Amino acid sequence: YHQSGLSRGMGELTRATRAILGFCITDFKLPPCEINVLYCSSEEIQSLNHQFRDVDQPTDVLSFTPTDSEPFPGQTHRYLGDLAVCQPYVAKQAAVNKSTLDRDIPLFLVHGFLHLMGHDHMTKADEKKMFAEQSRLLKVLGTFDLSEKLVLK
């Protein structure tokens, strides 16, 4: 993770990911849920983007919702879906925006979570609604910086 711009190791990234998505799940008052998160390279996300969206270029985050969100027999957790976050792409965007990867990972986790919850930004009206919800969640989270102590504010 150091090469891709994260200042912390995988353990801290895992804890932060769980905390951020756990907060989102709690805020939405969802029952216990499962979300799989893949932190990947530009090549990996470009391949996923091409395979599932027919867009042959890298992107920041992709979300994949399940066709059936009911728990498997014997499981109590609802499966919400998968997120793929492209660290190099997010790092490049962070540099352009004079931010850091550590500060922008929470933004893309929240953004991906909202896609899993059915939000989209294909129209201006949908974009306005989704980005307002994204801003609300990030504001409630506070400045969640992976380079600082991992505490929700």
Side-chain angles (χ1 to χ4, degrees):
Y1 288 98
H2 295 286
Q3 290 180 330
S4 62
L6 285 173
S7 64
R8 303 296 174 162
M10 187 172 186
E12 193 159 340
L13 179 60
T14 299
R15 285 190 299 278
T17 299
R18 285 181 178 158
I20 293 163
L21 293 175
F23 164 78
C24 291
I25 289 166
T26 300
D27 184 80
F28 272 65
K29 296 175 178 43
L30 298 173
C33 299
E34 178 182 337
I35 300 172
N36 297 312
V37 180
L38 169 69
Y39 287 95
C40 60
S41 69
S42 295
E43 295 79 18
E44 289 170 310
I45 206 148
Q46 182 171 344
S47 176
L48 291 169
N49 207 12
H50 185 252
Q51 181 180 353
F52 293 101
R53 296 182 59 230
D54 203 26
V55 178
D56 194 16
Q57 64 187 31
T59 189
D60 42 30
V61 62
L62 292 172
S63 60
F64 303 93
T65 55
T67 55
D68 181 13
S69 64
E70 293 300 315
F72 289 110
Q75 288 185 325
T76 58
H77 290 76
R78 179 177 165 208
Y79 173 59
L80 286 184
D82 302 319
L83 298 178
V85 180
C86 180
Q87 294 164 292
Y89 192 95
V90 174
K92 191 184 307 183
Q93 289 300 109
V96 167
N97 295 322
K98 299 191 180 359
S99 186
T100 65
L101 183 57
D102 284 346
R103 293 186 66 86
D104 283 4
I105 288 287
L107 165 66
F108 291 104
L109 288 172
V110 168
H111 186 88
F113 172 81
L114 289 173
H115 278 301
L116 294 178
M117 297 307 300
H119 287 269
D120 212 332
H121 44 85
M122 298 302 285
T123 68
K124 287 290 183 189
D126 288 343
E127 179 180 284
K128 184 176 179 179
K129 183 178 176 183
M130 181 177 180
F131 287 4
E133 184 65 6
Q134 179 176 289
S135 293
R136 182 191 70 79
L137 287 169
L138 290 168
K139 184 176 181 180
V140 174
L141 269 169
T143 304
F144 197 98
D145 191 331
L146 300 183
S147 65
E148 297 173 3
K149 190 174 180 180
L150 298 175
V151 176
L152 291 176
K153 295 180 180 179

